[in-house]
């Protein structure tokens, strides 16, 4: 587990809300092991970027135009990615076995930190 602290993880943010993307980027900047490799504004664009960039971690919003985050999960193998779902919806409405963690929007730094600790223990 100690070696995970020195490993870096490529991350992608897929969210149609600019405030959420900015908050995630801001919190990520506090963790040198998290490397933001791309951002997408909807799931359709996100699918293309995921295939192209193959990120280790995907921060994925539930509610987006054209395709929801949960519908997007049907299009690729979640075993290849650590999925952290983000949403303003209640947790119980978006639980999915393909998702590794959940962040309620608006984001809090303490909850983001817990998600990263959990990620490092499980990846």
């Amino acid at each position: 587990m100690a070696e995970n602290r020195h490993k870096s993880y490529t991350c992608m943010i897929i969210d149609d809300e600019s405030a959420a993307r900015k908050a995630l980027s801001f919190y990520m900047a506090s963790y040198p092991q998290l490397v933001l490799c791309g951002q997408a504004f909807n799931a359709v664009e996100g699918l293309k970027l995921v295939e192209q960039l193959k990120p280790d971690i995907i921060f994925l919003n539930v509610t987006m135009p054209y395709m929801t985050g949960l519908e997007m999960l049907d299009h690729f193998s979640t075993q290849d990615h650590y999925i952290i779902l983000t949403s303003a919806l209640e947790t119980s409405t978006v639980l999915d076995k393909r998702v590794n963690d959940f962040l309620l929007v608006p984001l809090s730094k303490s909850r983001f930190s817990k998600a990263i600790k959990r990620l490092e223990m499980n990846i």
Side-chain angles (χ1 to χ4, degrees), residues 63-95:
T63 309
M64 293 182 285
Y66 312 116
M67 179 189 312
T68 69
L70 294 175
E71 290 170 334
M72 181 183 170
L73 292 176
D74 293 332
H75 292 270
F76 60 84
S77 171
T78 55
Q79 297 159 343
D80 295 335
H81 311 284
Y82 190 93
I83 306 295
I84 299 178
L85 215 55
T86 64
S87 179
L89 302 174
E90 290 297 319
T91 309
S92 61
T93 62
V94 293
L95 288 180

mmCIF file of all heavy atoms in Angstrom, residues 63-95:
data_model
loop_
_atom_site.group_PDB
_atom_site.id
_atom_site.type_symbol
_atom_site.label_atom_id
_atom_site.label_comp_id
_atom_site.label_asym_id
_atom_site.label_seq_id
_atom_site.Cartn_x
_atom_site.Cartn_y
_atom_site.Cartn_z
ATOM 1 N N THR A 63 -26.351 13.587 -14.028
ATOM 2 C CA THR A 63 -27.338 14.252 -14.875
ATOM 3 C C THR A 63 -26.659 15.166 -15.873
ATOM 4 O O THR A 63 -26.086 16.188 -15.507
ATOM 5 C CB THR A 63 -28.311 15.078 -14.002
ATOM 6 O OG1 THR A 63 -28.807 14.236 -12.966
ATOM 7 C CG2 THR A 63 -29.466 15.613 -14.825
ATOM 8 N N MET A 64 -26.701 14.758 -17.141
ATOM 9 C CA MET A 64 -26.110 15.546 -18.225
ATOM 10 C C MET A 64 -27.014 15.451 -19.449
ATOM 11 O O MET A 64 -27.785 14.508 -19.574
ATOM 12 C CB MET A 64 -24.715 15.014 -18.588
ATOM 13 C CG MET A 64 -23.679 15.209 -17.513
ATOM 14 S SD MET A 64 -22.045 14.626 -18.012
ATOM 15 C CE MET A 64 -22.252 12.845 -17.876
ATOM 16 N N PRO A 65 -26.897 16.418 -20.358
ATOM 17 C CA PRO A 65 -27.698 16.342 -21.586
ATOM 18 C C PRO A 65 -27.206 15.213 -22.502
ATOM 19 O O PRO A 65 -26.067 14.785 -22.397
ATOM 20 C CB PRO A 65 -27.480 17.708 -22.240
ATOM 21 C CG PRO A 65 -26.219 18.227 -21.653
ATOM 22 C CD PRO A 65 -26.091 17.614 -20.290
ATOM 23 N N TYR A 66 -28.062 14.744 -23.351
ATOM 24 C CA TYR A 66 -27.808 13.712 -24.371
ATOM 25 C C TYR A 66 -27.733 12.303 -23.802
ATOM 26 O O TYR A 66 -28.264 11.377 -24.373
ATOM 27 C CB TYR A 66 -26.543 13.996 -25.184
ATOM 28 C CG TYR A 66 -26.442 15.401 -25.702
ATOM 29 C CD1 TYR A 66 -25.426 16.236 -25.278
ATOM 30 C CD2 TYR A 66 -27.386 15.916 -26.585
ATOM 31 C CE1 TYR A 66 -25.326 17.549 -25.735
ATOM 32 C CE2 TYR A 66 -27.298 17.228 -27.044
ATOM 33 C CZ TYR A 66 -26.269 18.030 -26.615
ATOM 34 O OH TYR A 66 -26.184 19.313 -27.063
ATOM 35 N N MET A 67 -27.023 12.125 -22.680
ATOM 36 C CA MET A 67 -26.852 10.808 -22.082
ATOM 37 C C MET A 67 -26.473 11.016 -20.611
ATOM 38 O O MET A 67 -25.618 11.848 -20.314
ATOM 39 C CB MET A 67 -25.725 10.058 -22.809
ATOM 40 C CG MET A 67 -25.426 8.686 -22.285
ATOM 41 S SD MET A 67 -23.906 7.927 -22.997
ATOM 42 C CE MET A 67 -24.094 8.173 -24.739
ATOM 43 N N THR A 68 -27.087 10.262 -19.717
ATOM 44 C CA THR A 68 -26.735 10.404 -18.297
ATOM 45 C C THR A 68 -25.407 9.697 -18.027
ATOM 46 O O THR A 68 -24.954 8.865 -18.822
ATOM 47 C CB THR A 68 -27.811 9.797 -17.381
ATOM 48 O OG1 THR A 68 -27.791 8.375 -17.522
ATOM 49 C CG2 THR A 68 -29.190 10.357 -17.678
ATOM 50 N N GLY A 69 -24.832 10.004 -16.881
ATOM 51 C CA GLY A 69 -23.603 9.327 -16.486
ATOM 52 C C GLY A 69 -23.803 7.831 -16.322
ATOM 53 O O GLY A 69 -22.949 7.033 -16.706
ATOM 54 N N LEU A 70 -24.954 7.436 -15.772
ATOM 55 C CA LEU A 70 -25.228 6.003 -15.604
ATOM 56 C C LEU A 70 -25.401 5.308 -16.952
ATOM 57 O O LEU A 70 -24.959 4.167 -17.134
ATOM 58 C CB LEU A 70 -26.454 5.785 -14.717
ATOM 59 C CG LEU A 70 -26.285 6.229 -13.261
ATOM 60 C CD1 LEU A 70 -27.599 6.067 -12.510
ATOM 61 C CD2 LEU A 70 -25.166 5.473 -12.575
ATOM 62 N N GLU A 71 -26.020 5.971 -17.915
ATOM 63 C CA GLU A 71 -26.136 5.399 -19.265
ATOM 64 C C GLU A 71 -24.752 5.275 -19.897
ATOM 65 O O GLU A 71 -24.478 4.306 -20.612
ATOM 66 C CB GLU A 71 -27.034 6.274 -20.143
ATOM 67 C CG GLU A 71 -28.489 6.229 -19.759
ATOM 68 C CD GLU A 71 -29.335 7.271 -20.474
ATOM 69 O OE1 GLU A 71 -28.798 8.326 -20.890
ATOM 70 O OE2 GLU A 71 -30.545 7.028 -20.608
ATOM 71 N N MET A 72 -23.897 6.228 -19.621
ATOM 72 C CA MET A 72 -22.538 6.184 -20.167
ATOM 73 C C MET A 72 -21.779 4.950 -19.680
ATOM 74 O O MET A 72 -21.008 4.354 -20.424
ATOM 75 C CB MET A 72 -21.780 7.453 -19.776
ATOM 76 C CG MET A 72 -20.371 7.490 -20.322
ATOM 77 S SD MET A 72 -19.531 8.967 -19.744
ATOM 78 C CE MET A 72 -17.873 8.582 -20.267
ATOM 79 N N LEU A 73 -22.018 4.564 -18.432
ATOM 80 C CA LEU A 73 -21.329 3.391 -17.882
ATOM 81 C C LEU A 73 -21.591 2.129 -18.694
ATOM 82 O O LEU A 73 -20.766 1.221 -18.719
ATOM 83 C CB LEU A 73 -21.752 3.161 -16.430
ATOM 84 C CG LEU A 73 -21.296 4.196 -15.415
ATOM 85 C CD1 LEU A 73 -21.874 3.873 -14.039
ATOM 86 C CD2 LEU A 73 -19.790 4.302 -15.356
ATOM 87 N N ASP A 74 -22.729 2.066 -19.371
ATOM 88 C CA ASP A 74 -23.065 0.901 -20.198
ATOM 89 C C ASP A 74 -22.165 0.774 -21.425
ATOM 90 O O ASP A 74 -22.125 -0.274 -22.051
ATOM 91 C CB ASP A 74 -24.526 0.975 -20.668
ATOM 92 C CG ASP A 74 -25.513 0.844 -19.524
ATOM 93 O OD1 ASP A 74 -25.167 0.200 -18.501
ATOM 94 O OD2 ASP A 74 -26.622 1.382 -19.648
ATOM 95 N N HIS A 75 -21.454 1.840 -21.768
ATOM 96 C CA HIS A 75 -20.672 1.864 -23.002
ATOM 97 C C HIS A 75 -19.204 1.486 -22.846
ATOM 98 O O HIS A 75 -18.487 1.417 -23.840
ATOM 99 C CB HIS A 75 -20.755 3.251 -23.653
ATOM 100 C CG HIS A 75 -22.113 3.560 -24.175
ATOM 101 N ND1 HIS A 75 -22.495 3.252 -25.458
ATOM 102 C CD2 HIS A 75 -23.196 4.115 -23.571
ATOM 103 C CE1 HIS A 75 -23.756 3.626 -25.628
ATOM 104 N NE2 HIS A 75 -24.199 4.148 -24.508
ATOM 105 N N PHE A 76 -18.753 1.266 -21.634
ATOM 106 C CA PHE A 76 -17.364 0.830 -21.465
ATOM 107 C C PHE A 76 -17.225 -0.019 -20.226
ATOM 108 O O PHE A 76 -18.097 -0.043 -19.369
ATOM 109 C CB PHE A 76 -16.389 2.014 -21.442
ATOM 110 C CG PHE A 76 -16.612 3.024 -20.343
ATOM 111 C CD1 PHE A 76 -16.086 2.823 -19.081
ATOM 112 C CD2 PHE A 76 -17.331 4.177 -20.588
ATOM 113 C CE1 PHE A 76 -16.284 3.750 -18.075
ATOM 114 C CE2 PHE A 76 -17.535 5.106 -19.584
ATOM 115 C CZ PHE A 76 -17.013 4.895 -18.327
ATOM 116 N N SER A 77 -16.115 -0.707 -20.146
ATOM 117 C CA SER A 77 -15.864 -1.586 -19.013
ATOM 118 C C SER A 77 -15.409 -0.767 -17.814
ATOM 119 O O SER A 77 -14.343 -0.158 -17.840
ATOM 120 C CB SER A 77 -14.789 -2.617 -19.377
ATOM 121 O OG SER A 77 -14.408 -3.333 -18.227
ATOM 122 N N THR A 78 -16.224 -0.746 -16.770
ATOM 123 C CA THR A 78 -15.859 0.011 -15.577
ATOM 124 C C THR A 78 -14.706 -0.652 -14.830
ATOM 125 O O THR A 78 -14.106 -0.041 -13.968
ATOM 126 C CB THR A 78 -17.066 0.167 -14.634
ATOM 127 O OG1 THR A 78 -17.581 -1.117 -14.345
ATOM 128 C CG2 THR A 78 -18.126 1.050 -15.244
ATOM 129 N N GLN A 79 -14.382 -1.882 -15.166
ATOM 130 C CA GLN A 79 -13.248 -2.550 -14.531
ATOM 131 C C GLN A 79 -11.937 -1.876 -14.910
ATOM 132 O O GLN A 79 -10.948 -2.009 -14.215
ATOM 133 C CB GLN A 79 -13.221 -4.025 -14.928
ATOM 134 C CG GLN A 79 -14.444 -4.770 -14.448
ATOM 135 C CD GLN A 79 -14.675 -6.047 -15.240
ATOM 136 O OE1 GLN A 79 -14.136 -6.230 -16.310
ATOM 137 N NE2 GLN A 79 -15.483 -6.923 -14.689
ATOM 138 N N ASP A 80 -11.934 -1.143 -16.003
ATOM 139 C CA ASP A 80 -10.730 -0.455 -16.444
ATOM 140 C C ASP A 80 -10.579 0.919 -15.811
ATOM 141 O O ASP A 80 -9.554 1.574 -15.995
ATOM 142 C CB ASP A 80 -10.750 -0.280 -17.970
ATOM 143 C CG ASP A 80 -10.693 -1.616 -18.686
ATOM 144 O OD1 ASP A 80 -10.185 -2.591 -18.108
ATOM 145 O OD2 ASP A 80 -11.166 -1.675 -19.831
ATOM 146 N N HIS A 81 -11.581 1.364 -15.082
ATOM 147 C CA HIS A 81 -11.579 2.714 -14.522
ATOM 148 C C HIS A 81 -12.137 2.689 -13.106
ATOM 149 O O HIS A 81 -13.026 1.901 -12.789
ATOM 150 C CB HIS A 81 -12.453 3.655 -15.363
ATOM 151 C CG HIS A 81 -12.176 3.581 -16.819
ATOM 152 N ND1 HIS A 81 -11.067 4.157 -17.408
ATOM 153 C CD2 HIS A 81 -12.850 2.970 -17.822
ATOM 154 C CE1 HIS A 81 -11.091 3.909 -18.703
ATOM 155 N NE2 HIS A 81 -12.153 3.184 -18.983
ATOM 156 N N TYR A 82 -11.643 3.567 -12.280
ATOM 157 C CA TYR A 82 -12.197 3.792 -10.946
ATOM 158 C C TYR A 82 -13.191 4.925 -11.122
ATOM 159 O O TYR A 82 -12.818 6.017 -11.544
ATOM 160 C CB TYR A 82 -11.067 4.174 -9.987
ATOM 161 C CG TYR A 82 -11.463 4.196 -8.528
ATOM 162 C CD1 TYR A 82 -11.293 3.068 -7.735
ATOM 163 C CD2 TYR A 82 -11.977 5.348 -7.951
ATOM 164 C CE1 TYR A 82 -11.642 3.085 -6.392
ATOM 165 C CE2 TYR A 82 -12.329 5.376 -6.607
ATOM 166 C CZ TYR A 82 -12.154 4.246 -5.829
ATOM 167 O OH TYR A 82 -12.501 4.275 -4.503
ATOM 168 N N ILE A 83 -14.457 4.671 -10.853
ATOM 169 C CA ILE A 83 -15.519 5.635 -11.122
ATOM 170 C C ILE A 83 -15.961 6.319 -9.831
ATOM 171 O O ILE A 83 -16.357 5.654 -8.871
ATOM 172 C CB ILE A 83 -16.751 4.957 -11.764
ATOM 173 C CG1 ILE A 83 -16.369 4.155 -13.014
ATOM 174 C CG2 ILE A 83 -17.839 5.992 -12.060
ATOM 175 C CD1 ILE A 83 -15.856 4.966 -14.164
ATOM 176 N N ILE A 84 -15.884 7.647 -9.826
ATOM 177 C CA ILE A 84 -16.426 8.442 -8.729
ATOM 178 C C ILE A 84 -17.567 9.266 -9.319
ATOM 179 O O ILE A 84 -17.345 10.159 -10.134
ATOM 180 C CB ILE A 84 -15.361 9.345 -8.087
ATOM 181 C CG1 ILE A 84 -14.229 8.487 -7.500
ATOM 182 C CG2 ILE A 84 -16.001 10.227 -7.010
ATOM 183 C CD1 ILE A 84 -13.087 9.273 -6.885
ATOM 184 N N LEU A 85 -18.767 8.909 -8.933
ATOM 185 C CA LEU A 85 -19.960 9.583 -9.433
ATOM 186 C C LEU A 85 -20.173 10.889 -8.673
ATOM 187 O O LEU A 85 -19.916 10.956 -7.469
ATOM 188 C CB LEU A 85 -21.155 8.661 -9.222
ATOM 189 C CG LEU A 85 -22.267 8.650 -10.246
ATOM 190 C CD1 LEU A 85 -21.741 8.356 -11.637
ATOM 191 C CD2 LEU A 85 -23.314 7.626 -9.861
ATOM 192 N N THR A 86 -20.606 11.920 -9.383
ATOM 193 C CA THR A 86 -20.939 13.194 -8.744
ATOM 194 C C THR A 86 -22.371 13.552 -9.111
ATOM 195 O O THR A 86 -22.806 13.320 -10.231
ATOM 196 C CB THR A 86 -19.996 14.324 -9.198
ATOM 197 O OG1 THR A 86 -20.153 14.550 -10.593
ATOM 198 C CG2 THR A 86 -18.550 13.989 -8.897
ATOM 199 N N SER A 87 -23.091 14.096 -8.123
ATOM 200 C CA SER A 87 -24.476 14.466 -8.392
ATOM 201 C C SER A 87 -25.035 15.315 -7.266
ATOM 202 O O SER A 87 -24.613 15.194 -6.117
ATOM 203 C CB SER A 87 -25.342 13.211 -8.543
ATOM 204 O OG SER A 87 -26.685 13.563 -8.782
ATOM 205 N N ALA A 88 -25.999 16.136 -7.611
ATOM 206 C CA ALA A 88 -26.757 16.885 -6.610
ATOM 207 C C ALA A 88 -27.934 16.042 -6.116
ATOM 208 O O ALA A 88 -28.622 16.429 -5.179
ATOM 209 C CB ALA A 88 -27.258 18.201 -7.204
ATOM 210 N N LEU A 89 -28.166 14.881 -6.734
ATOM 211 C CA LEU A 89 -29.250 13.986 -6.335
ATOM 212 C C LEU A 89 -28.880 13.225 -5.074
ATOM 213 O O LEU A 89 -27.705 13.065 -4.759
ATOM 214 C CB LEU A 89 -29.535 12.977 -7.451
ATOM 215 C CG LEU A 89 -29.920 13.543 -8.813
ATOM 216 C CD1 LEU A 89 -30.011 12.426 -9.835
ATOM 217 C CD2 LEU A 89 -31.231 14.295 -8.726
ATOM 218 N N GLU A 90 -29.876 12.734 -4.379
ATOM 219 C CA GLU A 90 -29.632 11.914 -3.195
ATOM 220 C C GLU A 90 -28.866 10.653 -3.587
ATOM 221 O O GLU A 90 -29.089 10.082 -4.646
ATOM 222 C CB GLU A 90 -30.961 11.511 -2.547
ATOM 223 C CG GLU A 90 -31.668 12.665 -1.891
ATOM 224 C CD GLU A 90 -30.873 13.255 -0.738
ATOM 225 O OE1 GLU A 90 -30.280 12.497 0.048
ATOM 226 O OE2 GLU A 90 -30.836 14.494 -0.644
ATOM 227 N N THR A 91 -27.987 10.208 -2.730
ATOM 228 C CA THR A 91 -27.146 9.037 -2.969
ATOM 229 C C THR A 91 -27.960 7.808 -3.356
ATOM 230 O O THR A 91 -27.614 7.090 -4.277
ATOM 231 C CB THR A 91 -26.322 8.687 -1.713
ATOM 232 O OG1 THR A 91 -25.666 9.860 -1.268
ATOM 233 C CG2 THR A 91 -25.312 7.611 -1.987
ATOM 234 N N SER A 92 -29.060 7.572 -2.673
ATOM 235 C CA SER A 92 -29.847 6.353 -2.899
ATOM 236 C C SER A 92 -30.406 6.271 -4.313
ATOM 237 O O SER A 92 -30.669 5.188 -4.811
ATOM 238 C CB SER A 92 -30.989 6.263 -1.891
ATOM 239 O OG SER A 92 -31.849 7.371 -2.038
ATOM 240 N N THR A 93 -30.544 7.403 -4.982
ATOM 241 C CA THR A 93 -31.111 7.353 -6.327
ATOM 242 C C THR A 93 -30.055 7.065 -7.392
ATOM 243 O O THR A 93 -30.399 6.813 -8.531
ATOM 244 C CB THR A 93 -31.809 8.682 -6.687
ATOM 245 O OG1 THR A 93 -30.853 9.729 -6.670
ATOM 246 C CG2 THR A 93 -32.949 8.982 -5.736
ATOM 247 N N VAL A 94 -28.781 7.098 -7.011
ATOM 248 C CA VAL A 94 -27.741 6.888 -8.025
ATOM 249 C C VAL A 94 -26.781 5.761 -7.674
ATOM 250 O O VAL A 94 -25.758 5.607 -8.317
ATOM 251 C CB VAL A 94 -26.936 8.190 -8.284
ATOM 252 C CG1 VAL A 94 -27.804 9.232 -8.934
ATOM 253 C CG2 VAL A 94 -26.295 8.707 -7.022
ATOM 254 N N LEU A 95 -27.113 4.964 -6.668
ATOM 255 C CA LEU A 95 -26.231 3.849 -6.329
ATOM 256 C C LEU A 95 -26.174 2.868 -7.496
ATOM 257 O O LEU A 95 -27.178 2.546 -8.107
ATOM 258 C CB LEU A 95 -26.719 3.137 -5.066
ATOM 259 C CG LEU A 95 -26.530 3.908 -3.770
ATOM 260 C CD1 LEU A 95 -27.057 3.089 -2.597
ATOM 261 C CD2 LEU A 95 -25.079 4.266 -3.531
#
